[in-house]
Each structure stands twice: as C-alpha cells, then as structure tokens.
Amino acid sequence: MIDLYIFNLPTNNNNNNNMNNIESYPPVLRHLDHHQLPPPPNPDPDKDPTQQDSDPIPIIDFSCLNHDKSKLDEACKDWGFFRLVNHGIPMTLLKKLQEVAKELFSLSFEAKEGACSGSPVSYFWGTPALTPSGTTTRGPQNMNWVEGFDVPLSQLPHFNPHQLPTLESIRLPIKDYKTHLSRIATTLFEAMAKNLDLSLKPSEPYLAENTGMVRVYRYPNCSDANVGWGMEAHTDSSVLSILNQDDEVSGLRVLKDDQWLTVKPIPNTLIVNLGDMQAISDDRYKSVTHRVSINKHKERISICYFVFPGEDVAIESYKYKPFTYNEFRAQVQQDIKALGYKVGLSRFQHHEEC
C-alpha cells in the first residue's frame, strides 16, 4: 500500500462499459495514448509471454500451516513475501471480484467519482491524487499511473444499495470475500506470532479485524514514454497485505537482495506481503519493498486487503521506540505532505548516542 491522497467528488451519472474508452480517464489525461497496442510477437509459440522461466517466490500451503510452520517462518524472515495456495477462497469468487472490478472501472471518470459522493468508499486517480476537478499540477511522469477505490470493510453494512447502485455490484462479492480474508489473516498472524514467540497482551488487538480495508486497483496500460510507474517503490503500513492479482497481466515487482523480481500471475493463488507493523518482530520478519510497473499493451486489475493493529495498540520492540499505529499513520501523512514521500519505520528507530 502506498499512502495516498484521497478525494471525494460530486455526482455525475455518465456511464460507459468499454474498459478502454477514453471517458474512463480523467479529462486532463485523455490526450495520452491509452489504446491497447497489439502485443509483440511471441518468438516461442509454445511459451506463454506472461510467464518467467522460474518463479522464486516462496510458496506456502495454507492447508498445511498447522502441521509445518517452518516454511512460513523462513519466507517471512528471508522475503517478507510469499505466494499462498490452498487458501480456501473459491476461484469463482476471485474471478467474480476481478470481473466486477473491470466493469466498475469501465465507467466514465465522472461516474466513478460521483458514485463515491456521500459513500464510505473513496475514489482516487493517481498519486499524488488529481484535484476534485480532475486536474493536476504535475505531468503524468510525476504521478503514479493508478486508479482505485478504498472500501473500509467495517462500513459494508452501511452501504445503501438504492443510493449507490453503481457500487452495489462490488459490495456483494466483497462482503463474501471479507469472511475469507479475516480467516486467512488471523490464522497467518497467529502462526507468525507463535514462530516469533511474541509475548502479546491478550487484550490488545495487534491485528484488528475492524481495521480491514480492501483497495481495488486499476493500472491502465499506456505506451506514452513519459508516464512513470503504476506505483513507486514502497512498503505497506499494514501488519500484512493479501493480494488477489490479475491472472494474466504481470506488473508487481518485489525487491530481494537488491534485485527487482517480477511476481508471476498464477491463477487461484494469493500474494501475501508483510507490512511495517512487523516492527513488533524487531525486524526478524521483513517489511518488503515492492512496486508496480505499467504494461504497454494491457491494463491490470488487482484487489488488495490491508489489515492493521488497533489504532492505540502500542508496538513495542528493542529496535524501535514504542509507537501506536495512530502515531505511525500521522507521521507518514506528515512526511508525505512535507517531503512528498513516506519515510516510514526509520522515524521510530532508536538512535545510539555517540
């Protein structure tokens, strides 16, 4: 998760179902080349161009977690990142989420911003985000090329389908998805805490279900050489993040041993990465740095779940000064406003006196 500037905007019911229709982009960006170009010829007809020769990402079998936690421990220590299989989420639900997300993003920019007016859901285009009028003081090369909706899961019961029919199509599958996400995140965190032998206070929500949020992303394709990244290199501010990524289009890259590795899109798998709140492990587990590139030929949809500690839960460790997630979030927002980027955990490190 990169920390975004979010905006809510007035209603407009303009609609369009063509994913690549120019109207789905903000007015200020409609002059750029968004058309899907034909992909380059595949030199090997028997080889899928979206696949790498190998996939070094660690694989964790969720169904075997209770019997063998050592693989999870190794992945968290060495990578802070892994692929989850046998997670128990129906493939039909994962595909449904991707389908309704594509339908939602195919709407005009004006319809999408209008749908979130008075809604618990926030809509954004770019980071830094465009202004409410759909303009930006920076060129596209200085803005992350990403569009999305933030859905706070605790607010799902407050959706009014009659007032927000546009968002109702995605609310229903996310409601089902929420149950699975909570189960997976809780089980993984409990296994991690046991591996680390953490002395956690039973009354403190170190992973609070009511903080769960789903962010639905669209990374538009663009062949314009001046456009930069879909998302710049960053760490997530969460305890952990669970990603349902596009089955066909790659773009996610993870930093490992000073090298950027592309994460292959493999159907019916989830990607889990650890966030900054793993500071509680004294950096035995990693908060992984990752970024997203733009595909020139195809746009990419990804759906990510983020979960955090309770806002006032103290994160205590030897390497970091005690802080709450509230304090961490406020510092991140302050740094973004003052510096234009997130500084993160280094703000809370103990500094030895000379």
mmCIF file of all heavy atoms in Angstrom, residues 13 19 22 76 90 109 124 137 143 155 222 225 238 324 346:
data_model
loop_
_atom_site.group_PDB
_atom_site.id
_atom_site.type_symbol
_atom_site.label_atom_id
_atom_site.label_comp_id
_atom_site.label_asym_id
_atom_site.label_seq_id
_atom_site.Cartn_x
_atom_site.Cartn_y
_atom_site.Cartn_z
ATOM 1 N N ASN A 13 -23.749 10.975 -13.449
ATOM 2 C CA ASN A 13 -24.161 9.624 -13.788
ATOM 3 C C ASN A 13 -23.712 9.160 -15.162
ATOM 4 O O ASN A 13 -24.279 8.246 -15.736
ATOM 5 C CB ASN A 13 -25.693 9.500 -13.685
ATOM 6 C CG ASN A 13 -26.138 9.612 -12.252
ATOM 7 O OD1 ASN A 13 -25.465 9.109 -11.354
ATOM 8 N ND2 ASN A 13 -27.263 10.266 -12.024
ATOM 9 N N MET A 19 -13.862 -0.797 -21.308
ATOM 10 C CA MET A 19 -12.752 -0.588 -20.385
ATOM 11 C C MET A 19 -11.725 0.393 -20.917
ATOM 12 O O MET A 19 -11.113 1.119 -20.166
ATOM 13 C CB MET A 19 -12.091 -1.941 -20.104
ATOM 14 C CG MET A 19 -11.049 -1.924 -19.022
ATOM 15 S SD MET A 19 -11.746 -1.656 -17.391
ATOM 16 C CE MET A 19 -10.436 -2.303 -16.378
ATOM 17 N N ILE A 22 -12.013 6.245 -23.707
ATOM 18 C CA ILE A 22 -11.276 7.412 -23.234
ATOM 19 C C ILE A 22 -12.002 8.120 -22.106
ATOM 20 O O ILE A 22 -11.397 8.783 -21.266
ATOM 21 C CB ILE A 22 -11.007 8.373 -24.424
ATOM 22 C CG1 ILE A 22 -9.806 9.271 -24.141
ATOM 23 C CG2 ILE A 22 -12.244 9.150 -24.788
ATOM 24 C CD1 ILE A 22 -8.496 8.526 -24.116
ATOM 25 N N CYS A 76 8.984 -15.458 5.823
ATOM 26 C CA CYS A 76 8.836 -14.153 6.474
ATOM 27 C C CYS A 76 10.191 -13.545 6.821
ATOM 28 O O CYS A 76 10.367 -12.327 6.743
ATOM 29 C CB CYS A 76 7.989 -14.286 7.739
ATOM 30 S SG CYS A 76 6.252 -14.693 7.435
ATOM 31 N N PRO A 90 -13.036 -19.713 -2.895
ATOM 32 C CA PRO A 90 -13.461 -20.283 -4.182
ATOM 33 C C PRO A 90 -12.897 -19.484 -5.353
ATOM 34 O O PRO A 90 -12.914 -18.245 -5.336
ATOM 35 C CB PRO A 90 -14.988 -20.183 -4.133
ATOM 36 C CG PRO A 90 -15.322 -20.097 -2.678
ATOM 37 C CD PRO A 90 -14.181 -19.362 -2.037
ATOM 38 N N PHE A 109 -14.951 8.517 -15.865
ATOM 39 C CA PHE A 109 -14.312 9.124 -14.703
ATOM 40 C C PHE A 109 -15.339 9.879 -13.864
ATOM 41 O O PHE A 109 -15.354 9.792 -12.631
ATOM 42 C CB PHE A 109 -13.208 10.074 -15.183
ATOM 43 C CG PHE A 109 -12.581 10.891 -14.085
ATOM 44 C CD1 PHE A 109 -11.710 10.316 -13.180
ATOM 45 C CD2 PHE A 109 -12.866 12.252 -13.981
ATOM 46 C CE1 PHE A 109 -11.130 11.075 -12.176
ATOM 47 C CE2 PHE A 109 -12.282 13.017 -12.976
ATOM 48 C CZ PHE A 109 -11.407 12.431 -12.074
ATOM 49 N N PHE A 124 -9.881 7.423 -6.030
ATOM 50 C CA PHE A 124 -8.704 8.243 -6.326
ATOM 51 C C PHE A 124 -8.170 7.911 -7.710
ATOM 52 O O PHE A 124 -8.393 6.824 -8.242
ATOM 53 C CB PHE A 124 -7.606 8.047 -5.270
ATOM 54 C CG PHE A 124 -7.069 6.644 -5.189
ATOM 55 C CD1 PHE A 124 -5.987 6.240 -5.950
ATOM 56 C CD2 PHE A 124 -7.650 5.714 -4.337
ATOM 57 C CE1 PHE A 124 -5.497 4.940 -5.884
ATOM 58 C CE2 PHE A 124 -7.161 4.413 -4.254
ATOM 59 C CZ PHE A 124 -6.088 4.029 -5.035
ATOM 60 N N THR A 137 -1.295 19.472 -11.039
ATOM 61 C CA THR A 137 -0.247 20.464 -11.284
ATOM 62 C C THR A 137 1.024 19.798 -11.794
ATOM 63 O O THR A 137 1.963 20.472 -12.192
ATOM 64 C CB THR A 137 0.071 21.235 -9.993
ATOM 65 O OG1 THR A 137 0.436 20.298 -8.965
ATOM 66 C CG2 THR A 137 -1.140 22.032 -9.527
ATOM 67 N N MET A 143 3.337 11.345 -11.656
ATOM 68 C CA MET A 143 2.167 10.850 -10.944
ATOM 69 C C MET A 143 2.067 9.346 -11.151
ATOM 70 O O MET A 143 2.201 8.858 -12.267
ATOM 71 C CB MET A 143 0.901 11.530 -11.476
ATOM 72 C CG MET A 143 -0.380 11.087 -10.787
ATOM 73 S SD MET A 143 -1.827 11.938 -11.483
ATOM 74 C CE MET A 143 -1.898 11.188 -13.115
ATOM 75 N N GLN A 155 -17.503 -0.755 7.117
ATOM 76 C CA GLN A 155 -18.600 0.107 6.672
ATOM 77 C C GLN A 155 -19.538 -0.580 5.679
ATOM 78 O O GLN A 155 -20.527 0.024 5.249
ATOM 79 C CB GLN A 155 -18.028 1.377 6.019
ATOM 80 C CG GLN A 155 -17.215 2.238 6.958
ATOM 81 C CD GLN A 155 -18.047 2.745 8.120
ATOM 82 O OE1 GLN A 155 -19.138 3.290 7.930
ATOM 83 N NE2 GLN A 155 -17.534 2.566 9.331
ATOM 84 N N CYS A 222 -0.482 2.008 -20.933
ATOM 85 C CA CYS A 222 -0.132 3.275 -21.584
ATOM 86 C C CYS A 222 1.224 3.117 -22.256
ATOM 87 O O CYS A 222 2.184 2.660 -21.640
ATOM 88 C CB CYS A 222 -0.084 4.416 -20.576
ATOM 89 S SG CYS A 222 0.111 6.038 -21.347
ATOM 90 N N ALA A 225 5.882 7.177 -23.355
ATOM 91 C CA ALA A 225 7.184 7.004 -22.700
ATOM 92 C C ALA A 225 7.373 7.933 -21.513
ATOM 93 O O ALA A 225 8.245 7.708 -20.673
ATOM 94 C CB ALA A 225 8.307 7.224 -23.719
ATOM 95 N N SER A 238 0.736 -1.758 6.809
ATOM 96 C CA SER A 238 -0.138 -2.723 7.467
ATOM 97 C C SER A 238 0.653 -3.713 8.328
ATOM 98 O O SER A 238 1.885 -3.689 8.371
ATOM 99 C CB SER A 238 -0.919 -3.492 6.404
ATOM 100 O OG SER A 238 -0.010 -4.114 5.498
ATOM 101 N N THR A 324 2.173 3.846 18.495
ATOM 102 C CA THR A 324 0.885 3.261 18.119
ATOM 103 C C THR A 324 0.707 3.409 16.609
ATOM 104 O O THR A 324 1.389 4.221 15.972
ATOM 105 C CB THR A 324 -0.275 3.955 18.836
ATOM 106 O OG1 THR A 324 -0.356 5.318 18.365
ATOM 107 C CG2 THR A 324 -0.093 3.937 20.347
ATOM 108 N N SER A 346 11.927 4.157 9.858
ATOM 109 C CA SER A 346 13.172 4.791 10.311
ATOM 110 C C SER A 346 12.907 5.997 11.205
ATOM 111 O O SER A 346 13.774 6.393 11.996
ATOM 112 C CB SER A 346 14.037 5.192 9.111
ATOM 113 O OG SER A 346 13.358 6.120 8.290
#
